[in-house]
Amino acid sequence: MAELATIARPYADALFEATSSDLEGTAGWIGQLAAIAADPQLLQFAADPKVSQEQVFDLISGLLPQALPNAGKNFLRTVIDNGRLAALPEVAAQYRELKNAKSGTSDAVIYSAFPIDAASLAEVGAALQRRFGRTLNTRVESDPSLIGGIRVVVGDEVLDTSVKARLEQMKAALTA
């Protein structure tokens, strides 16, 4: 079977071209669809031969907090009709990359051992934008294994200032 990234690429490209007038709105609903499609129980339900494509569409539409625009409905029907529901999370990721490339921004995930308040997040975000030289869309995720500090992932770049990383560096230096 083809790699999910290969399957998702034409969907992401087509969606990007079709919704170029509302990239932010589309990013919102494609992200919601991706989160729903990532559920293994939903994929199992959709794969059941006794379940119609319309039932899958109705279930997913019913799980969304707000109604899909017409472009979203058409896109979802196309994905379901072609049996590509499992590729939706990758489609959303590729769509975000296309959107970010057009706007000159990048997604940044900040992993922290402790919650970060809004003021501190703004400071960290500004420092990271200076460090990476571009506008960042920051998102914070909790990772207690870091012990302290933060670990930032921007695309394929990683900035790790966590206590865990420093301890591992010390261990490597001492055992070398």
Side-chain angles (χ1 to χ4, degrees), residues 110 114-127 138 140:
I110 302 171
F114 303 101
I116 301 176
D117 63 42
S120 297
L121 182 59
E123 286 180 36
V124 168
T138 57
V140 178

Side-chain angles (χ1 to χ4, degrees), residues 144-167:
S145 73
L146 296 178
I147 305 169
I150 61 171
R151 182 172 168 260
V152 181
V153 178
V154 179
D156 61 354
E157 298 177 75
V158 178
L159 175 64
D160 197 342
T161 63
S162 67
V163 173
K164 178 181 179 180
R166 290 181 186 168
L167 289 172

Side-chain angles (χ1 to χ4, degrees), residues 13-14 19 34 46 49 51 65 87-89 101 115 117 127 129-130 134 143 152 160 172:
D13 290 342
T19 61
V51 176
L88 261 178
D117 63 42
Q129 287 184 29
R130 286 191 301 277
R134 55 189 177 263
D143 184 358
V152 181
D160 197 342

Side-chain angles (χ1 to χ4, degrees), residues 62-156:
L63 293 172
L64 293 168
Q66 59 211 23
L68 283 172
N70 284 336
K73 289 177 184 176
N74 293 337
F75 179 77
L76 180 58
R77 285 188 196 283
T78 301
V79 168
I80 293 170
D81 290 348
N82 292 324
R84 300 299 191 199
L85 203 54
L88 261 178
E90 181 62 26
V91 171
Q94 289 186 21
Y95 182 86
R96 271 193 315 277
E97 289 175 16
L98 292 169
K99 181 180 83 63
N100 287 345
K102 182 175 182 174
S103 64
T105 63
S106 295
D107 290 333
V109 182
I110 302 171
Y111 297 94
S112 174
F114 303 101
I116 301 176
D117 63 42
S120 297
L121 182 59
E123 286 180 36
V124 168
L128 290 172
Q129 287 184 29
R130 286 191 301 277
R131 163 73 169 77
F132 288 101
R134 55 189 177 263
T135 305
L136 299 175
N137 304 319
T138 57
R139 176 171 51 99
V140 178
E141 289 190 17
S142 178
D143 184 358
S145 73
L146 296 178
I147 305 169
I150 61 171
R151 182 172 168 260
V152 181
V153 178
V154 179
D156 61 354

Side-chain angles (χ1 to χ4, degrees), residues 16-32:
F16 183 76
E17 291 297 321
T19 61
S20 61
S21 61
D22 184 24
L23 295 178
E24 284 300 320
T26 303
W29 59 257
I30 191 69
Q32 292 172 346

